[in-house]
Each structure stands twice: as structure tokens, then as C-alpha cells.
Amino acid sequence: MPEWAGMALLPLSVALLGFAIGRRFIPHGELWSLPMAFAALTVGLIATGWVALVLAEFGVFDFGWMLLVTGGASAILVLWPLPNATRGQPADRPQSDDGWARWEHLMLAVWLVVALWLFFRPHEYIFGAADAGVYVSLGAEIAQHGGFTIRDQTLAGMSAEMRAAVLRPLPNTPFADSYLLPGFYVTDAAGGELTPQFYPLHPVFQAIVYGAAGSADGGMRAELLLTGVWIVLGTLAVYLTARDIGGPVVGALVLAGLSLSALQVWFGRYPTSEALTQFLLWAGIWSGGRWLSDRQPFGLWAFTSGLSFGAVFLVRIDSLILLPVFSLLLVWRWLRGWRRADSWFAVPFVLLVVHSLLHGHFLSAPYFYETVGYGVSLLSRL
């Protein structure tokens, strides 16, 4: 496959999957608005990442296989008859007669040009020792070998004396007594088994674009540029939230202010998981606000919110501290009378949280139990 072909097929695959899922929530004949398109794109991205994650967890990740699975799922959803739906009231009429509303697309096009210059000049972290380099290395490893667990034959061939000399001991880390390199735990020294640090969804997305690029050089560059994509989407999610709350002028001011902030530019170029976390959190907040305020189509906003918030738990282990907040939300929805849209939020959210816990136990045990244990230790001292 030519190098350009993978990079062309990937966004088409994501867009098709997002459209195939999104159209099942939107009444037939309804004109798609910008918020609907953004929700569908968010859903398509998360679904694509989840498929790739499952393939990687079974050690069989391959860009071609991922395209085959997502393409097949899209075809089934497009061909499957749409559910019966009532039109109801349009959800996305302009909130005011302000002239900004008519110029929104032009404003966003101009902003996107500026954003490309601001965010798509990445810091070139390639090797480990810093978190950014560990993420990039792990993304390449998944793309090249198909999974998370690494078998290092050089390590397996070392004598016990040599391993004692070159490995850094970790006396307080469960399930690992040393690490070979920062971010890569040694979980079976005799067998050469290494277990990577960090939660999986961000490096899996990096593996996807690495595979799409078709070469090592192009793959590394694609991994670094991916962070710019996340920060653009995260900034748009914040903009849409502000637009819903205060109207298009407030949204435009928030968009400009956030885009020009030093922290936003920094993390837009730094290939760690913060930019992806921002995108998912704010996509969840934005669509969750629409769901809780009973805007139509109810199911689309609830599903996008549940999927986005659930995906955060596959990106960062420290998101576990948010579980009480979401538990209270679900209890409140239950007490006030459970609706079908509430299930569209709860089911993907709960399934992804459970998935994150299973991944932590089976494929990232040293990192998972060390971090959770540290958090429990802190709470016990309060």
C-alpha cells in the first residue's frame, strides 16, 4: 500500500463509521448541523480507537485488519434498516439573531488555518526517559509487533548477574521487581517480558497513525502530529460548550483566548495524553450538557457523552477519581425517572470503565496497582 493511501483511508474510515453510527440517532431527513457532525466525528474516532485497542490487547493489531473491521461495521450499520424515529423539534437552531451565527463556518475556517500553524509544529520526542518519548516509542512498538506485551530476547539471554547489573530495581512496585527502560517494567526477566507503563488508548491511536503512514520515518512524524489533531478537536469542543452556554460571540471569544494560551500551544505540540484527554472530557461535557438539557436528538448527545467520558478512563488512570461524580449522576437520573436516553449514556460509559479496569489488571498490572495503591495510601492518611 502506498504511504499516502493509508493516511487517506484513515479519515475516510473514521468519518464513515461516525456517520453510520450517528445516523441511527438522527431522524430521517433531518439536516445535519455542525454539532451533529462533531458528535458523529467524536463517536467515529472513539469507536475506531476501541477496535484497534481490542486488536492490540489480543496481540494482533494491524492497520489493515483495523480498517477491515471498522469498514465492515460501517457497512452493516449503513445497510441495517434505520429505527423508527419521530422528528420532534429541531435541536440546533441559532440561539440569537446575532450576525456571528451566519459567519460561523467562515470564522472556523480562518481559525483552523491559524490552528494549523500554532499546533502542528510538534516537539520531537522520539526516545524514552520522558513521558512523551515513552508514548511515541510504545505507539511504534504496538504498530510493529501488534500488542502491548514485549518479548526482549536480549534480556532473556542475560545471566542473572548481568540482569542485576543493568536493570533498575523497583522494590515497591507490584508485579514487577525492576525496569529495563523508563516506562517499561520487567515482569518476567528470565522470559524477557516487558510490560509498558501508561494507559492504552493514546498509544493505540499513535499506533494507528504509525501504521497508516506506512513507513518508520513517516510513522514517527504522524505520531508527533497526532497531538495537534487532538488539541484542535479539544479546542473545538470547548468552543461548542461555550457557544451552547453563551451564544456564538462568547464561543468565538473563548475559541480565540484558548487557542492563544501558552499551555494550549505547549500541550498541542507535546505528544503525551493531555491533549486527547482534553478533547474527550470537553466532548463529554458539551454533549452531556445537551443530553441533560433535553435537546434533540436525545440519544445522540447521551451516547456521545457516555462514550467520551468512558474513553477518558482508557486514556488516564487518574481519571478513576471521577467515578464518584459519575456514580452520583447515574443515581440522580435513576431517582428522577430513568429514560431511554439515560441508557444511551450509561451503557457505553460503564462498559468502557470496566474495560479500563480489566486492561489495568491483565495488561498493565505494575502501573495499575502501583498507582491505585498510592492513591489509596494517600486517602488513608486524610
Side-chain angles (χ1 to χ4, degrees), residues 177-234:
D177 54 13
S178 59
Y179 71 61
L180 177 64
L181 297 168
F184 294 90
Y185 296 101
V186 178
T187 46
D188 180 7
E193 181 183 276
L194 304 176
T195 298
Q197 193 176 344
F198 301 130
Y199 253 32
L201 195 55
H202 179 52
V204 162
F205 273 119
Q206 290 177 311
I208 291 172
V209 296
Y210 185 103
S215 68
D217 290 343
M220 284 293 182
R221 187 68 180 170
E223 286 193 59
L224 296 173
L225 290 171
L226 178 63
T227 312
V229 175
W230 298 140
I231 211 72
V232 165
L233 293 174

Tab-separated table of all heavy atoms in Angstrom, residues 177-234:
chain	number	residue	atom	x	y	z
A	177	ASP	N	9.721	-6.314	39.560
A	177	ASP	CA	10.786	-6.017	40.517
A	177	ASP	C	11.863	-5.101	39.938
A	177	ASP	O	12.797	-4.716	40.628
A	177	ASP	CB	11.437	-7.312	41.020
A	177	ASP	CG	11.927	-8.202	39.891
A	177	ASP	OD1	11.990	-7.728	38.737
A	177	ASP	OD2	12.245	-9.377	40.159
A	178	SER	N	11.703	-4.706	38.659
A	178	SER	CA	12.697	-3.817	38.045
A	178	SER	C	12.124	-3.275	36.746
A	178	SER	O	11.064	-3.709	36.287
A	178	SER	CB	14.004	-4.570	37.758
A	178	SER	OG	13.769	-5.666	36.888
A	179	TYR	N	12.850	-2.300	36.162
A	179	TYR	CA	12.503	-1.914	34.793
A	179	TYR	C	13.767	-1.809	33.950
A	179	TYR	O	14.846	-1.516	34.444
A	179	TYR	CB	11.642	-0.660	34.722
A	179	TYR	CG	12.259	0.674	35.048
A	179	TYR	CD1	13.324	1.193	34.306
A	179	TYR	CD2	11.735	1.479	36.055
A	179	TYR	CE1	13.846	2.436	34.570
A	179	TYR	CE2	12.248	2.742	36.331
A	179	TYR	CZ	13.314	3.212	35.579
A	179	TYR	OH	13.840	4.449	35.837
A	180	LEU	N	13.582	-2.088	32.655
A	180	LEU	CA	14.702	-2.062	31.721
A	180	LEU	C	14.975	-0.639	31.263
A	180	LEU	O	16.115	-0.180	31.237
A	180	LEU	CB	14.389	-2.951	30.513
A	180	LEU	CG	15.438	-2.988	29.396
A	180	LEU	CD1	16.749	-3.582	29.916
A	180	LEU	CD2	14.927	-3.792	28.206
A	181	LEU	N	13.912	0.077	30.892
A	181	LEU	CA	13.971	1.466	30.466
A	181	LEU	C	12.819	2.207	31.139
A	181	LEU	O	11.825	1.581	31.526
A	181	LEU	CB	13.838	1.576	28.939
A	181	LEU	CG	14.925	0.920	28.097
A	181	LEU	CD1	14.480	0.862	26.641
A	181	LEU	CD2	16.240	1.671	28.231
A	182	PRO	N	12.921	3.524	31.300
A	182	PRO	CA	11.795	4.253	31.878
A	182	PRO	C	10.503	4.003	31.095
A	182	PRO	O	10.455	4.154	29.876
A	182	PRO	CB	12.237	5.714	31.770
A	182	PRO	CG	13.726	5.662	31.785
A	182	PRO	CD	14.086	4.407	31.050
A	183	GLY	N	9.467	3.591	31.825
A	183	GLY	CA	8.186	3.322	31.193
A	183	GLY	C	7.998	1.885	30.755
A	183	GLY	O	6.928	1.546	30.245
A	184	PHE	N	8.986	1.014	30.957
A	184	PHE	CA	8.880	-0.376	30.529
A	184	PHE	C	9.312	-1.289	31.675
A	184	PHE	O	10.500	-1.474	31.940
A	184	PHE	CB	9.731	-0.624	29.283
A	184	PHE	CG	9.246	0.115	28.068
A	184	PHE	CD1	9.705	1.396	27.790
A	184	PHE	CD2	8.303	-0.446	27.218
A	184	PHE	CE1	9.258	2.097	26.687
A	184	PHE	CE2	7.840	0.248	26.116
A	184	PHE	CZ	8.319	1.521	25.841
A	185	TYR	N	8.301	-1.847	32.386
A	185	TYR	CA	8.544	-2.711	33.532
A	185	TYR	C	9.015	-4.092	33.076
A	185	TYR	O	8.565	-4.615	32.053
A	185	TYR	CB	7.270	-2.885	34.353
A	185	TYR	CG	6.735	-1.623	34.985
A	185	TYR	CD1	5.657	-0.941	34.396
A	185	TYR	CD2	7.264	-1.121	36.164
A	185	TYR	CE1	5.140	0.202	34.987
A	185	TYR	CE2	6.758	0.017	36.758
A	185	TYR	CZ	5.694	0.680	36.160
A	185	TYR	OH	5.182	1.817	36.732
A	186	VAL	N	9.869	-4.693	33.860
A	186	VAL	CA	10.276	-6.085	33.641
A	186	VAL	C	9.372	-6.957	34.493
A	186	VAL	O	9.463	-6.958	35.724
A	186	VAL	CB	11.752	-6.307	34.014
A	186	VAL	CG1	12.125	-7.777	33.821
A	186	VAL	CG2	12.656	-5.416	33.178
A	187	THR	N	8.488	-7.702	33.863
A	187	THR	CA	7.549	-8.551	34.594
A	187	THR	C	7.953	-10.022	34.560
A	187	THR	O	7.374	-10.825	35.287
A	187	THR	CB	6.127	-8.390	34.022
A	187	THR	OG1	6.169	-8.441	32.588
A	187	THR	CG2	5.541	-7.043	34.434
A	188	ASP	N	8.898	-10.375	33.719
A	188	ASP	CA	9.457	-11.734	33.708
A	188	ASP	C	10.847	-11.640	33.106
A	188	ASP	O	11.013	-11.734	31.886
A	188	ASP	CB	8.566	-12.677	32.895
A	188	ASP	CG	9.122	-14.107	32.857
A	188	ASP	OD1	10.107	-14.393	33.565
A	188	ASP	OD2	8.563	-14.933	32.102
A	189	ALA	N	11.837	-11.447	33.962
A	189	ALA	CA	13.201	-11.231	33.471
A	189	ALA	C	13.724	-12.442	32.715
A	189	ALA	O	14.339	-12.303	31.648
A	189	ALA	CB	14.122	-10.888	34.640
A	190	ALA	N	13.479	-13.629	33.225
A	190	ALA	CA	14.000	-14.835	32.570
A	190	ALA	C	13.385	-15.030	31.190
A	190	ALA	O	14.044	-15.521	30.265
A	190	ALA	CB	13.743	-16.055	33.448
A	191	GLY	N	12.122	-14.645	31.029
A	191	GLY	CA	11.465	-14.789	29.737
A	191	GLY	C	11.584	-13.555	28.862
A	191	GLY	O	11.079	-13.545	27.738
A	192	GLY	N	12.245	-12.496	29.377
A	192	GLY	CA	12.398	-11.262	28.607
A	192	GLY	C	11.108	-10.489	28.423
A	192	GLY	O	10.975	-9.717	27.468
A	193	GLU	N	10.158	-10.635	29.358
A	193	GLU	CA	8.859	-9.987	29.212
A	193	GLU	C	8.881	-8.587	29.803
A	193	GLU	O	9.242	-8.401	30.969
A	193	GLU	CB	7.778	-10.816	29.889
A	193	GLU	CG	6.384	-10.224	29.769
A	193	GLU	CD	5.343	-11.034	30.506
A	193	GLU	OE1	4.856	-12.022	29.911
A	193	GLU	OE2	5.021	-10.697	31.662
A	194	LEU	N	8.447	-7.610	28.994
A	194	LEU	CA	8.342	-6.226	29.425
A	194	LEU	C	6.879	-5.785	29.345
A	194	LEU	O	6.191	-6.093	28.369
A	194	LEU	CB	9.191	-5.308	28.545
A	194	LEU	CG	10.679	-5.641	28.417
A	194	LEU	CD1	11.340	-4.693	27.423
A	194	LEU	CD2	11.369	-5.563	29.768
A	195	THR	N	6.420	-5.059	30.362
A	195	THR	CA	5.063	-4.530	30.383
A	195	THR	C	5.137	-3.010	30.375
A	195	THR	O	5.732	-2.421	31.284
A	195	THR	CB	4.295	-5.008	31.626
A	195	THR	OG1	4.193	-6.434	31.600
A	195	THR	CG2	2.898	-4.401	31.666
A	196	PRO	N	4.569	-2.357	29.375
A	196	PRO	CA	4.694	-0.894	29.283
A	196	PRO	C	3.863	-0.172	30.329
A	196	PRO	O	2.859	-0.686	30.825
A	196	PRO	CB	4.200	-0.579	27.868
A	196	PRO	CG	3.315	-1.724	27.517
A	196	PRO	CD	3.869	-2.927	28.214
A	197	GLN	N	4.299	1.036	30.650
A	197	GLN	CA	3.593	1.916	31.557
A	197	GLN	C	2.482	2.645	30.789
A	197	GLN	O	2.373	2.514	29.568
A	197	GLN	CB	4.573	2.923	32.156
A	197	GLN	CG	4.073	3.715	33.348
A	197	GLN	CD	5.161	4.613	33.918
A	197	GLN	OE1	6.333	4.427	33.616
A	197	GLN	NE2	4.773	5.573	34.731
A	198	PHE	N	1.653	3.368	31.484
A	198	PHE	CA	0.603	4.232	30.948
A	198	PHE	C	-0.606	3.448	30.454
A	198	PHE	O	-0.527	2.259	30.155
A	198	PHE	CB	1.119	5.150	29.842
A	198	PHE	CG	2.233	6.049	30.291
A	198	PHE	CD1	3.410	6.151	29.564
A	198	PHE	CD2	2.114	6.785	31.456
A	198	PHE	CE1	4.436	6.970	29.986
A	198	PHE	CE2	3.143	7.604	31.885
A	198	PHE	CZ	4.302	7.692	31.152
A	199	TYR	N	-1.724	4.178	30.361
A	199	TYR	CA	-2.950	3.566	29.891
A	199	TYR	C	-2.983	3.570	28.365
A	199	TYR	O	-2.293	4.334	27.711
A	199	TYR	CB	-4.139	4.283	30.521
A	199	TYR	CG	-4.807	3.425	31.582
A	199	TYR	CD1	-4.072	2.525	32.346
A	199	TYR	CD2	-6.171	3.487	31.802
A	199	TYR	CE1	-4.674	1.725	33.291
A	199	TYR	CE2	-6.792	2.694	32.749
A	199	TYR	CZ	-6.040	1.807	33.489
A	199	TYR	OH	-6.650	1.010	34.419
A	200	PRO	N	-3.847	2.729	27.747
A	200	PRO	CA	-3.571	2.290	26.380
A	200	PRO	C	-4.088	3.136	25.227
A	200	PRO	O	-3.561	3.042	24.114
A	200	PRO	CB	-4.245	0.916	26.346
A	200	PRO	CG	-5.416	1.058	27.262
A	200	PRO	CD	-4.934	1.947	28.366
A	201	LEU	N	-5.153	3.943	25.419
A	201	LEU	CA	-5.828	4.468	24.231
A	201	LEU	C	-4.975	5.449	23.438
A	201	LEU	O	-5.003	5.439	22.197
A	201	LEU	CB	-7.154	5.123	24.627
A	201	LEU	CG	-8.134	5.397	23.477
A	201	LEU	CD1	-8.426	4.126	22.684
A	201	LEU	CD2	-9.429	6.006	24.000
A	202	HIS	N	-4.221	6.302	24.124
A	202	HIS	CA	-3.377	7.259	23.395
A	202	HIS	C	-2.297	6.550	22.570
A	202	HIS	O	-2.165	6.833	21.372
A	202	HIS	CB	-2.764	8.260	24.359
A	202	HIS	CG	-1.869	9.270	23.704
A	202	HIS	ND1	-2.268	10.030	22.628
A	202	HIS	CD2	-0.591	9.635	23.959
A	202	HIS	CE1	-1.266	10.829	22.248
A	202	HIS	NE2	-0.250	10.603	23.035
A	203	PRO	N	-1.504	5.628	23.148
A	203	PRO	CA	-0.521	4.939	22.299
A	203	PRO	C	-1.158	4.090	21.205
A	203	PRO	O	-0.548	3.891	20.148
A	203	PRO	CB	0.279	4.080	23.283
A	203	PRO	CG	-0.531	4.012	24.520
A	203	PRO	CD	-1.325	5.287	24.570
A	204	VAL	N	-2.378	3.602	21.421
A	204	VAL	CA	-3.056	2.852	20.360
A	204	VAL	C	-3.390	3.774	19.191
A	204	VAL	O	-3.202	3.402	18.021
A	204	VAL	CB	-4.318	2.160	20.909
A	204	VAL	CG1	-5.257	1.754	19.771
A	204	VAL	CG2	-3.930	0.936	21.715
A	205	PHE	N	-3.874	4.971	19.471
A	205	PHE	CA	-4.102	5.931	18.388
A	205	PHE	C	-2.790	6.268	17.686
A	205	PHE	O	-2.756	6.439	16.454
A	205	PHE	CB	-4.747	7.207	18.935
A	205	PHE	CG	-6.246	7.152	19.005
A	205	PHE	CD1	-6.901	7.273	20.230
A	205	PHE	CD2	-7.006	6.991	17.865
A	205	PHE	CE1	-8.287	7.230	20.298
A	205	PHE	CE2	-8.395	6.943	17.919
A	205	PHE	CZ	-9.036	7.061	19.146
A	206	GLN	N	-1.704	6.368	18.440
A	206	GLN	CA	-0.403	6.615	17.816
A	206	GLN	C	-0.011	5.447	16.917
A	206	GLN	O	0.552	5.643	15.831
A	206	GLN	CB	0.654	6.848	18.893
A	206	GLN	CG	0.491	8.162	19.638
A	206	GLN	CD	1.499	8.326	20.753
A	206	GLN	OE1	1.697	7.429	21.569
A	206	GLN	NE2	2.151	9.482	20.803
A	207	ALA	N	-0.319	4.232	17.365
A	207	ALA	CA	-0.032	3.057	16.533
A	207	ALA	C	-0.860	3.080	15.248
A	207	ALA	O	-0.389	2.674	14.178
A	207	ALA	CB	-0.311	1.775	17.324
A	208	ILE	N	-2.087	3.564	15.342
A	208	ILE	CA	-2.947	3.643	14.155
A	208	ILE	C	-2.329	4.555	13.102
A	208	ILE	O	-2.215	4.181	11.925
A	208	ILE	CB	-4.355	4.142	14.549
A	208	ILE	CG1	-5.092	3.093	15.378
A	208	ILE	CG2	-5.168	4.483	13.291
A	208	ILE	CD1	-6.401	3.595	15.960
A	209	VAL	N	-1.919	5.768	13.504
A	209	VAL	CA	-1.367	6.692	12.507
A	209	VAL	C	0.012	6.234	12.051
A	209	VAL	O	0.408	6.488	10.897
A	209	VAL	CB	-1.328	8.139	13.047
A	209	VAL	CG1	-2.733	8.644	13.319
A	209	VAL	CG2	-0.455	8.269	14.285
A	210	TYR	N	0.757	5.545	12.935
A	210	TYR	CA	2.047	4.975	12.518
A	210	TYR	C	1.813	3.955	11.406
A	210	TYR	O	2.500	3.961	10.377
A	210	TYR	CB	2.726	4.318	13.716
A	210	TYR	CG	4.131	3.802	13.447
A	210	TYR	CD1	5.241	4.518	13.888
A	210	TYR	CD2	4.345	2.603	12.782
A	210	TYR	CE1	6.530	4.053	13.668
A	210	TYR	CE2	5.615	2.124	12.545
A	210	TYR	CZ	6.717	2.849	12.995
A	210	TYR	OH	7.991	2.380	12.760
A	211	GLY	N	0.816	3.079	11.614
A	211	GLY	CA	0.505	2.089	10.589
A	211	GLY	C	-0.024	2.718	9.319
A	211	GLY	O	0.276	2.262	8.214
A	212	ALA	N	-0.820	3.786	9.473
A	212	ALA	CA	-1.369	4.454	8.292
A	212	ALA	C	-0.286	5.096	7.451
A	212	ALA	O	-0.388	5.146	6.219
A	212	ALA	CB	-2.391	5.503	8.716
A	213	ALA	N	0.769	5.585	8.108
A	213	ALA	CA	1.846	6.269	7.376
A	213	ALA	C	2.641	5.323	6.501
A	213	ALA	O	3.194	5.741	5.475
A	213	ALA	CB	2.765	6.989	8.358
A	214	GLY	N	2.736	4.066	6.893
A	214	GLY	CA	3.347	3.065	6.027
A	214	GLY	C	4.847	2.956	6.078
A	214	GLY	O	5.426	2.135	5.371
A	215	SER	N	5.531	3.763	6.881
A	215	SER	CA	6.988	3.674	6.998
A	215	SER	C	7.392	4.150	8.381
A	215	SER	O	6.629	4.845	9.065
A	215	SER	CB	7.692	4.522	5.933
A	215	SER	OG	7.477	5.907	6.164
A	216	ALA	N	8.602	3.791	8.798
A	216	ALA	CA	9.072	4.174	10.133
A	216	ALA	C	9.205	5.690	10.260
A	216	ALA	O	8.739	6.282	11.241
A	216	ALA	CB	10.397	3.483	10.441
A	217	ASP	N	9.833	6.323	9.275
A	217	ASP	CA	10.007	7.780	9.334
A	217	ASP	C	8.656	8.490	9.305
A	217	ASP	O	8.385	9.392	10.102
A	217	ASP	CB	10.880	8.259	8.173
A	217	ASP	CG	12.326	7.822	8.314
A	217	ASP	OD1	12.718	7.438	9.446
A	217	ASP	OD2	13.065	7.854	7.315
A	218	GLY	N	7.820	8.098	8.367
A	218	GLY	CA	6.503	8.711	8.270
A	218	GLY	C	5.643	8.414	9.482
A	218	GLY	O	4.865	9.261	9.935
A	219	GLY	N	5.784	7.202	10.041
A	219	GLY	CA	5.014	6.830	11.217
A	219	GLY	C	5.369	7.669	12.426
A	219	GLY	O	4.488	8.114	13.170
A	220	MET	N	6.672	7.890	12.643
A	220	MET	CA	7.092	8.728	13.758
A	220	MET	C	6.564	10.154	13.605
A	220	MET	O	6.082	10.768	14.560
A	220	MET	CB	8.618	8.751	13.856
A	220	MET	CG	9.215	7.496	14.456
A	220	MET	SD	8.750	7.339	16.188
A	220	MET	CE	9.623	5.831	16.631
A	221	ARG	N	6.639	10.676	12.400
A	221	ARG	CA	6.147	12.024	12.161
A	221	ARG	C	4.641	12.090	12.391
A	221	ARG	O	4.122	13.054	12.974
A	221	ARG	CB	6.476	12.440	10.722
A	221	ARG	CG	6.158	13.899	10.413
A	221	ARG	CD	7.070	14.826	11.183
A	221	ARG	NE	6.783	16.229	10.898
A	221	ARG	CZ	7.294	17.240	11.582
A	221	ARG	NH1	8.125	17.007	12.585
A	221	ARG	NH2	6.997	18.482	11.273
A	222	ALA	N	3.928	11.062	11.953
A	222	ALA	CA	2.481	11.028	12.138
A	222	ALA	C	2.113	10.973	13.615
A	222	ALA	O	1.152	11.614	14.058
A	222	ALA	CB	1.885	9.839	11.393
A	223	GLU	N	2.862	10.200	14.399
A	223	GLU	CA	2.612	10.139	15.836
A	223	GLU	C	2.748	11.511	16.485
A	223	GLU	O	1.942	11.902	17.339
A	223	GLU	CB	3.587	9.172	16.508
A	223	GLU	CG	3.303	7.706	16.277
A	223	GLU	CD	4.098	6.826	17.218
A	223	GLU	OE1	3.937	6.976	18.441
A	223	GLU	OE2	4.904	6.002	16.745
A	224	LEU	N	3.783	12.246	16.093
A	224	LEU	CA	4.008	13.560	16.686
A	224	LEU	C	2.919	14.547	16.277
A	224	LEU	O	2.456	15.365	17.084
A	224	LEU	CB	5.384	14.079	16.271
A	224	LEU	CG	6.594	13.265	16.768
A	224	LEU	CD1	7.873	13.788	16.140
A	224	LEU	CD2	6.694	13.310	18.287
A	225	LEU	N	2.480	14.473	15.023
A	225	LEU	CA	1.449	15.398	14.538
A	225	LEU	C	0.061	15.074	15.089
A	225	LEU	O	-0.812	15.942	15.115
A	225	LEU	CB	1.408	15.374	13.011
A	225	LEU	CG	2.620	16.004	12.300
A	225	LEU	CD1	2.560	15.725	10.799
A	225	LEU	CD2	2.681	17.506	12.553
A	226	LEU	N	-0.132	13.841	15.531
A	226	LEU	CA	-1.436	13.444	16.046
A	226	LEU	C	-1.869	14.322	17.218
A	226	LEU	O	-3.059	14.620	17.382
A	226	LEU	CB	-1.401	11.971	16.476
A	226	LEU	CG	-2.690	11.410	17.084
A	226	LEU	CD1	-3.831	11.435	16.064
A	226	LEU	CD2	-2.459	9.985	17.595
A	227	THR	N	-0.913	14.747	18.043
A	227	THR	CA	-1.257	15.591	19.189
A	227	THR	C	-1.935	16.876	18.738
A	227	THR	O	-2.845	17.379	19.409
A	227	THR	CB	0.010	15.923	19.996
A	227	THR	OG1	0.758	14.728	20.215
A	227	THR	CG2	-0.344	16.548	21.330
A	228	GLY	N	-1.506	17.425	17.602
A	228	GLY	CA	-2.152	18.615	17.069
A	228	GLY	C	-3.605	18.365	16.714
A	228	GLY	O	-4.468	19.245	16.892
A	229	VAL	N	-3.903	17.176	16.205
A	229	VAL	CA	-5.295	16.837	15.900
A	229	VAL	C	-6.135	16.857	17.163
A	229	VAL	O	-7.233	17.416	17.205
A	229	VAL	CB	-5.361	15.450	15.222
A	229	VAL	CG1	-6.821	15.032	15.013
A	229	VAL	CG2	-4.611	15.455	13.895
A	230	TRP	N	-5.608	16.253	18.230
A	230	TRP	CA	-6.367	16.204	19.494
A	230	TRP	C	-6.595	17.603	20.054
A	230	TRP	O	-7.679	17.897	20.571
A	230	TRP	CB	-5.644	15.345	20.524
A	230	TRP	CG	-5.445	13.918	20.172
A	230	TRP	CD1	-4.327	13.151	20.401
A	230	TRP	CD2	-6.380	13.025	19.536
A	230	TRP	NE1	-4.504	11.871	19.945
A	230	TRP	CE2	-5.752	11.767	19.409
A	230	TRP	CE3	-7.680	13.185	19.056
A	230	TRP	CZ2	-6.382	10.680	18.832
A	230	TRP	CZ3	-8.317	12.094	18.477
A	230	TRP	CH2	-7.682	10.865	18.366
A	231	ILE	N	-5.592	18.463	19.981
A	231	ILE	CA	-5.762	19.793	20.581
A	231	ILE	C	-6.735	20.633	19.757
A	231	ILE	O	-7.484	21.457	20.312
A	231	ILE	CB	-4.398	20.498	20.757
A	231	ILE	CG1	-4.429	21.438	21.987
A	231	ILE	CG2	-3.994	21.266	19.528
A	231	ILE	CD1	-4.427	20.727	23.296
A	232	VAL	N	-6.750	20.449	18.435
A	232	VAL	CA	-7.734	21.142	17.601
A	232	VAL	C	-9.147	20.691	17.975
A	232	VAL	O	-10.057	21.510	18.164
A	232	VAL	CB	-7.450	20.889	16.109
A	232	VAL	CG1	-8.659	21.277	15.254
A	232	VAL	CG2	-6.226	21.676	15.662
A	233	LEU	N	-9.337	19.389	18.106
A	233	LEU	CA	-10.655	18.867	18.467
A	233	LEU	C	-11.034	19.270	19.890
A	233	LEU	O	-12.205	19.573	20.171
A	233	LEU	CB	-10.679	17.343	18.319
A	233	LEU	CG	-10.546	16.819	16.885
A	233	LEU	CD1	-10.438	15.301	16.877
A	233	LEU	CD2	-11.730	17.265	16.031
A	234	GLY	N	-10.058	19.274	20.802
A	234	GLY	CA	-10.340	19.706	22.159
A	234	GLY	C	-10.749	21.159	22.221
A	234	GLY	O	-11.683	21.537	22.947
